[in-house]
């Protein structure tokens, strides 16, 4: 007896249904993540699955898939007798003000710095050009592991011209933002900064220092800070643990 032929359209329809469920789960996970990070679940416990399903008009399967995504991010965990609980706190880092890390996160605890490297180096061409210096000019290089309440948060690599950087060698780099120190040395506030933010995979060194899984995504912030007269004074490459920080700001659209 010949085998029953399956219409070619059936596997395609099934794949579309699976893709639709995956899309809906991802979209729901985005909404739940925003609620978690904005304190929408103040006791740290998410509603029951059927309550989430009713609130968001989603199927139970979609809710389960969404929670699986958040568990994969190590943002929530399932605890017997309790339900789904928040297990990881992310700290907000603003992008609309020029501030050091301790200034930015002062409401969330104490920032401390482990100075891993500090001293003059011959500036690579790209660094020298960003700082407006001739190639191979000596600059001060500082690498610091920055912790919030004892937990590794970022690995910061900074390059500064020696006329200013040299004066930082005797300063308290373990407990003070470089911005604060620069403003003390120059006698006034810093001007502006150009920033680039992207996600990169943690290399073996960065992962070990940040105590993060090798290859995990980290947020890379490149920032070039200027004095009020426009002179560039601080080129930074900052790797943030993506599971402990969120970036945010207010953008305004002006009429043209």
């Amino acid at each position: 007896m010949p085998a029953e032929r399956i219409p070619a359209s059936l596997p395609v329809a099934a794949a579309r249904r699976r893709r639709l469920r995956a899309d809906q789960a991802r979209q729901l996970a985005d909404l739940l993540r925003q609620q978690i990070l904005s304190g929408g679940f103040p006791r740290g416990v998410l509603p029951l699955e059927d309550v989430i399903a009713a609130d968001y008009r989603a199927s139970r399967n979609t809710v389960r898939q969404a929670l699986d995504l958040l568990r994969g991010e190590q943002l929530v965990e399932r605890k017997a007798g309790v339900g789904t609980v928040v297990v990881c706190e992310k700290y907000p880092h603003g992008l609309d003000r020029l501030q050091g890390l301790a200034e930015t996160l002062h409401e969330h605890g104490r920032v401390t710095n482990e100075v891993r490297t500090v001293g003059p180096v011959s500036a690579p061409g790209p660094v020298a050009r960003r700082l407006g210096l001739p190639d191979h000019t000596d600059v001060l290089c500082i690498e610091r592991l920055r912790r919030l309440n004892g937990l590794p948060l970022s690995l910061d690599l900074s390059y500064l011209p020696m006329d200013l950087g040299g004066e930082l060698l005797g300063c308290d780099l373990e407990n003070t933002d470089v911005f604060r120190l620069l403003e003390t040395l120059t006698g006034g506030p810093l001007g502006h900064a150009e920033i680039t933010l992207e996600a990169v995979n943690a290399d073996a060194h960065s992962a070990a220092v940040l105590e993060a899984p090798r290859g995990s995504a980290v947020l890379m912030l490149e920032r070039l800070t200027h004095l009020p007269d426009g002179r560039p004074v601080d080129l930074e490459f900052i790797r943030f643990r993506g599971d402990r920080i969120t970036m945010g700001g207010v953008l305004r659209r002006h009429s043209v």
Side-chain angles (χ1 to χ4, degrees):
M1 185 175 183
E4 183 179 353
R5 296 188 61 184
I6 301 175
S9 59
L10 290 183
V12 174
R16 285 175 178 167
R17 285 195 298 272
R18 287 194 298 272
R19 186 171 67 246
L20 179 60
R21 285 196 298 270
D23 287 343
Q24 290 171 338
R26 170 176 48 80
Q27 292 160 8
L28 177 56
D30 289 344
L31 295 174
L32 293 172
R33 186 186 303 105
Q34 190 278 331
Q35 285 284 90
I36 291 168
L37 298 180
S38 62
F41 307 116
R43 294 188 299 110
V45 181
L46 275 65
L48 298 175
E49 290 180 2
D50 57 349
V51 174
I52 295 176
D55 286 348
Y56 290 93
R57 297 185 178 181
S59 70
R60 288 286 295 273
N61 283 339
T62 297
V63 172
R64 292 191 185 103
Q65 284 182 270
L67 294 177
D68 283 342
L69 291 175
L70 297 178
R71 278 193 287 270
E73 297 174 19
Q74 299 182 346
L75 192 58
V76 301
E77 204 173 80
R78 182 77 179 176
K79 290 192 175 180
V82 179
T84 302
V85 299
V86 178
V87 293
C88 179
E89 183 174 5
K90 290 193 176 187
Y91 301 98
H93 187 296
L95 292 176
D96 46 8
R97 292 189 64 189
L98 183 55
Q99 292 183 313
L101 191 66
E103 294 175 305
T104 300
L105 300 178
H106 73 278
E107 296 180 354
H108 302 281
R110 181 167 179 255
V111 173
T112 56
N113 312 304
E114 176 190 329
V115 180
R116 298 177 55 80
T117 301
V118 60
V121 298
S122 177
V127 171
R129 288 190 287 275
R130 296 292 301 280
L131 290 172
L133 302 170
D135 286 3
H136 309 302
T137 301
D138 278 356
V139 296
L140 183 71
C141 176
I142 306 171
E143 183 180 76
R144 298 188 297 175
L145 171 62
R146 315 200 69 182
R147 291 185 171 92
L148 178 63
N149 301 325
L151 292 175
L153 186 63
S154 71
L155 181 62
D156 299 12
L157 182 63
S158 304
Y159 297 97
L160 304 100
M162 281 303 298
D163 62 324
L164 287 175
E167 298 188 53
L168 296 179
L169 289 172
C171 295
D172 184 7
L173 292 169
E174 293 186 352
N175 298 290
T176 315
D177 285 334
V178 167
F179 284 177
R180 287 283 192 189
L181 297 173
L182 286 174
E183 289 178 334
T184 299
L185 293 173
T186 60
L190 295 170
H192 70 281
E194 304 153 16
I195 64 171
T196 301
L197 181 65
E198 61 180 320
V200 299
N201 292 331
D203 58 278
H205 168 70
S206 299
V209 173
L210 290 169
E211 299 176 17
R214 183 174 180 178
S216 60
V218 295
L219 293 175
M220 163 71 86
L221 178 67
E222 179 185 328
R223 181 168 61 195
L224 178 62
T225 302
H226 302 253
L227 294 177
D229 63 6
R231 180 191 174 191
V233 293
D234 186 9
L235 176 61
E236 301 168 280
F237 299 91
I238 306 173
R239 286 172 166 83
F240 289 100
R241 280 193 54 153
D243 59 343
R244 292 181 179 164
I245 202 84
T246 62
M247 300 286 180
V250 177
L251 303 177
R252 293 180 174 84
R253 180 177 174 89
H254 297 288
S255 58
V256 294

